[in-house]
Each structure stands twice: as C-alpha cells, then as structure tokens.
Amino acid sequence: MTETPENKYGTTPYSATDMSNIGDEPRSARMTKNLVWVLMILHVLAGVIGVVAMQAEGPEAYLEAYLPPNEFQGMTPEMLDTAFGATLVMAVVLIAINVVLFVIVGLGLRANRNWARFMGLVLAILFLISSAYSLLFATNYGDQSGMMLFGTIINWIIVLATIWWIIQALDKQTHRWFALHKSLQA
C-alpha cells in the first residue's frame, strides 16, 4: 500500500530541507567522522605514555635532557622539582586542550558541519608540522628505551593516521557530502 501525498495534486510537496533523497553517506565522509575519534584516543594514549615516561625518569634525568648544561648545573633539587612539576601540569593541560579540540571537531563532523572539517584540517596540518620537527629532528632514537620508545612508536602511528584522515577529509566525495549538507542547513 502506498502512502498518499498530502496535497491536492497527488505529488509530494517540495521541501528545501528534505534530506530523504540525498543518497548514502560516502565511505570517505564516514571515515572522516570516525577517524577523528580514533585519533583522539591515540593522542590521549600518547599523552598519558609521555607523562608516565616523565615520571619514570624523574626530575633530574628528564630535565637534564632538555636544559642547557650550564643552566642545569645551577639548579637546586627544589628548583628541579618545581620545574618538573610545572612540566607535568603543562603536559596534562595540553592533553585536556587536545581532547576539547577533538570533541569540538568530532561533534561538528557528526552534525555534517563543513567548518568542523576545515578546523580539523587546520589542526591536522599544524600537528604534522610539529610532529615532523619532533620526530625527525628532536628525537634521539639511539637513547630511547621502554616507555619513551613506545611513545615514539605511538606518535608515528598518530602521524600516519592523521595523514590518512587528511586524505579522507579532502576526498571529492567528502567535499560533496559536506557541501550538500551546507546548502541544506542554510
């Protein structure tokens, strides 16, 4: 049994916001929406591993690698503890900021908002630039072991997943999907 249209001409009235006939969501758009949550989990995991690795090394060993030798020599144990505590607090704050940004982008993508895709692309490119420096120039692979090595491996996985996310977000089908929703939301 067919449904009878609601107008006197026997046709379905036009609706600019009717989304029943826009088709199925492309795979690349679904991947863009889902990968953002995977990336958030990986970023949190990398942050927690980094904090645990810092704690395992202790203030003196950790700060010795990052401070100039003459500045490190002049620091008392209390100063080292204070600097190390501030570094830990900053790491936790950065993890929290990361989660907030991922949630904003993820919820925006779930609502098919093009601004979320753009914001995600900007943040992903900034992350890749930062990671390129960190992983290619600032990481001493010969001296790593344990948690630091595991954290570096996780960071490389994040870089690869971020590149994959960027490819999915820039796909023509994803662009078409978000553009279609932008015109329907206007």
Side-chain angles (χ1 to χ4, degrees):
M1 182 175 212
T2 61
E3 225 177 272
T4 310
E6 300 267 336
N7 75 20
K8 66 181 181 179
Y9 300 108
T11 60
T12 305
Y14 170 74
S15 171
T17 59
D18 181 24
M19 298 177 66
S20 62
N21 62 350
I22 62 171
D24 293 334
E25 183 176 34
R27 180 181 176 276
S28 60
R30 277 193 316 274
M31 291 296 294
T32 301
K33 293 176 182 181
N34 294 332
L35 268 176
V36 76
W37 301 112
V38 172
L39 282 166
M40 181 182 80
I41 291 168
L42 288 171
H43 275 272
V44 169
L45 179 64
V48 168
I49 289 170
V51 168
V52 170
M54 285 171 56
Q55 289 280 22
E57 277 190 61
E60 192 170 325
Y62 182 79
L63 292 174
E64 185 177 18
Y66 293 102
L67 293 175
N70 58 349
E71 191 174 320
F72 178 76
Q73 299 291 334
M75 293 186 83
T76 65
E78 293 81 26
M79 292 171 68
L80 287 173
D81 286 340
T82 302
F84 187 69
T87 304
L88 283 175
V89 168
M90 183 60 80
V92 171
V93 167
L94 289 175
I95 292 170
I97 290 171
N98 230 352
V99 168
V100 168
L101 290 173
F102 271 106
V103 168
I104 290 170
V105 170
L107 293 177
L109 288 173
R110 192 172 81 178
N112 294 312
R113 302 290 188 186
N114 203 38
W115 62 260
R117 188 173 70 104
F118 180 75
M119 182 178 170
L121 286 167
V122 169
L123 293 172
I125 290 168
L126 290 173
F127 167 75
L128 288 179
I129 291 168
S130 170
S131 292
Y133 173 75
S134 297
L135 292 172
L136 297 176
F137 301 114
T139 302
N140 188 356
Y141 291 100
D143 290 342
Q144 287 191 342
S145 64
M147 292 298 277
M148 292 299 271
L149 181 61
F150 185 62
T152 301
I153 292 169
I154 293 292
N155 282 325
W156 275 107
I157 292 170
I158 293 171
V159 166
L160 295 175
T162 301
I163 292 169
W164 189 23
W165 185 87
I166 289 172
I167 290 168
Q168 298 304 311
L170 291 176
D171 187 81
K172 286 181 183 180
Q173 296 298 325
T174 303
H175 174 73
R176 185 188 63 74
W177 180 259
F178 280 92
L180 177 64
H181 281 279
K182 182 178 180 181
S183 66
L184 289 174
Q185 292 165 354

